[in-house]
Amino acid sequence: MSHKPVLLVVAHGSRDPRHAATVHALVRRVRSLRPGLRVETGFLDFNIPSAHGVLESLAAEGVRDVVALPLLLTRAFHAKADIPAVLRDAPSQLRIRQAEVLGPSPLLLSALERRLYEAGLTPADKSSTGVVLASAGSSDPEAIAVIAAIAREWRHTGWCAVRPAFASASLPRTENAVRELRALGCKRVAVAPYVLAPGFLPDRIARGAAEADVLADVLGPAPEVAQLLLERYDTARAPILAAIGA
């Protein structure tokens, strides 16, 4: 029997109950893709169980190896500071690897397109449709640069144009990006929220999409997102398996 570190999905947490519900739906999909893998969920704030509490429970059970996977799309503050702090405070008998954040990844672009097609677009609409890649926003310049790079890359797959937008901390806002795409002459404008779960900032994105023709749903438990979690897990667990000779 192969040794499988426990996968701990570390989510931000929110006062909005839709956030935790979406996280749990995504984790259920991950479990369905790999039935033999133990997957736990912990939150940084607002929701229970806390990530710290889950780590203490795992240690009390005798678990030794854990892959902690930040349920984040960019390497902003939470991935660089909050989550490493939680892992440092974990029981010492745990061997923990922090997996990479989810983005950027071609699988996320596939998930974004899935949501746009579910909202009514077709592949034939791409060349005449401008897309706003609407992210929550960050004060971290690295995270902002990554979103801009994703927008440039996505444009090359055939859309009329792609513009990044941010719900907080950075500009432009979604509504301004929608107007810019109209001014460019795109026949229709779609807003693709580059967010994992509903909440305060995604609601702001939705309000900013009022003048758009299409508003896609959040990424949530899209199959591509679940597959990406497992890819990040596999990459992070490889050094653990090498260390224990599994």
Side-chain angles (χ1 to χ4, degrees):
M1 180 179 171
S2 63
H3 182 94
K4 291 179 182 173
V6 172
L7 170 55
L8 171 60
V9 176
V10 183
H12 183 271
S14 170
R15 291 187 179 91
D16 189 321
R18 296 173 298 167
H19 172 90
T22 303
V23 170
H24 291 309
L26 174 58
V27 168
R28 283 194 297 273
R29 178 157 251 160
V30 172
R31 290 188 183 119
S32 74
L33 289 176
R34 196 170 296 181
L37 175 63
R38 181 173 176 181
V39 188
E40 300 289 346
T41 309
F43 296 90
L44 291 175
D45 209 351
F46 302 117
N47 301 101
I48 53 173
S50 69
H52 181 73
V54 174
L55 290 167
E56 289 197 329
S57 297
L58 291 172
E61 282 181 39
V63 169
R64 291 295 307 276
D65 296 299
V66 176
V67 169
L69 194 157
L71 198 60
L72 301 167
L73 295 174
T74 58
R75 285 192 74 252
F77 180 79
H78 297 298
K80 294 176 178 178
D82 286 358
I83 292 175
V86 170
L87 302 184
R88 280 195 300 272
D89 286 342
S92 58
Q93 64 265 44
L94 292 175
R95 288 183 292 219
I96 306 174
R97 298 278 301 188
Q98 181 175 334
E100 285 296 323
V101 297
L102 299 180
S105 166
L107 283 169
L108 290 175
L109 289 182
S110 296
L112 286 165
E113 295 203 351
R114 169 189 292 275
R115 293 301 190 226
L116 285 168
Y117 297 151
E118 288 170 352
L121 292 178
T122 71
D125 296 324
K126 282 183 95 165
S127 62
S128 56
T129 302
V131 180
V132 178
L133 179 68
S135 122
S138 173
S139 56
D140 187 310
E142 179 189 351
I144 297 304
V146 167
I147 300 297
I150 293 168
R152 286 194 299 272
E153 178 187 344
W154 202 15
R155 161 72 182 82
H156 294 314
T157 65
W159 295 101
C160 170
V162 180
R163 291 289 185 272
F166 307 94
S168 68
S170 307
L171 295 174
R173 294 284 179 258
T174 302
E175 52 269 34
N176 301 121
V178 168
R179 290 169 194 143
E180 183 186 346
L181 290 171
R182 288 258 188 252
L184 277 177
C186 296
K187 180 179 175 183
R188 69 185 66 74
V189 177
V191 173
Y194 189 62
V195 293
L196 286 165
F200 175 74
L201 292 176
D203 283 349
R204 184 180 285 175
I205 290 170
R207 289 193 298 273
E211 296 176 21
D213 302 294
V214 173
L215 171 62
D217 200 358
V218 299
L219 294 170
E224 295 86 356
V225 179
Q227 184 183 338
L228 180 55
L229 262 69
L230 290 172
E231 284 191 8
R232 295 289 188 254
Y233 167 79
D234 288 337
T235 300
R237 77 178 182 138
I240 294 177
L241 298 183
I244 61 178

